[in-house]
Amino acid sequence: MRIGELAERAGTTTRTLRYYESRGLLHARRTENGYRTYDEGDLRMVRQIRTLQDFGFDLEETRPFVDCLRAGHPAGDACPASLAVYRRKIGELDALIAQLRTVRAEVGAQLARAELEVSAGMPGGPEPRCELTWEDEE
């Protein structure tokens, strides 16, 4: 298939595919007239890359999965290097989740404090102004 068909079937753009090629993740074969051609294996690679990027993997992190597919494995995550990337990503996600839990607890504490002040009627600044003024247009 040519680049336009690959892009359409993979749900991406030809520009993205050329970028993957420039990064060495996708290898096009060339016809006599210079057109790029691809096969079903290339489609599988592009889909693997796109799925991983949807999960938050950066482009370089997809390389072991592509290499695994190129080595003949039917799934790009069946190689030790791919598993290592998965493990590293799980560690990053766990750290982010812990950080978000801490931030959520802090925001929750600030909200509780603010609600207590409001319910106690403590002055915290100027009274809210809810008046609207309209200028007559003539």
Side-chain angles (χ1 to χ4, degrees), residues 15-92:
R15 183 178 180 188
T16 297
L17 296 177
R18 286 185 194 99
Y19 180 67
Y20 291 169
E21 187 177 343
S22 74
R23 298 291 305 268
L25 294 168
L26 186 61
H27 298 294
R29 287 154 301 286
R30 298 282 182 156
T31 62
E32 288 180 17
N33 57 4
Y35 289 119
R36 291 173 170 92
T37 62
Y38 303 92
D39 60 22
E40 292 298 318
D42 297 314
L43 176 60
R44 193 169 57 248
M45 279 187 224
V46 173
R47 286 182 173 160
Q48 177 84 59
I49 292 167
R50 303 231 345 117
T51 297
L52 291 167
Q53 287 191 301
D54 287 347
F55 291 160
F57 289 71
D58 66 36
L59 193 56
E60 195 54 39
E61 288 174 317
T62 69
R63 189 172 300 280
F65 298 88
V66 170
D67 291 343
C68 191
L69 286 169
R70 275 198 192 115
H73 296 277
D77 56 5
C79 297
S82 303
L83 296 173
V85 172
Y86 273 153
R87 287 185 192 102
R88 187 171 53 248
K89 183 58 77 175
I90 290 289
E92 290 172 12

Side-chain angles (χ1 to χ4, degrees), residues 111-124:
L111 173 62
R113 180 202 49 76
E115 287 177 333
L116 228 119
E117 285 181 13
V118 168
S119 68
M122 296 178 74

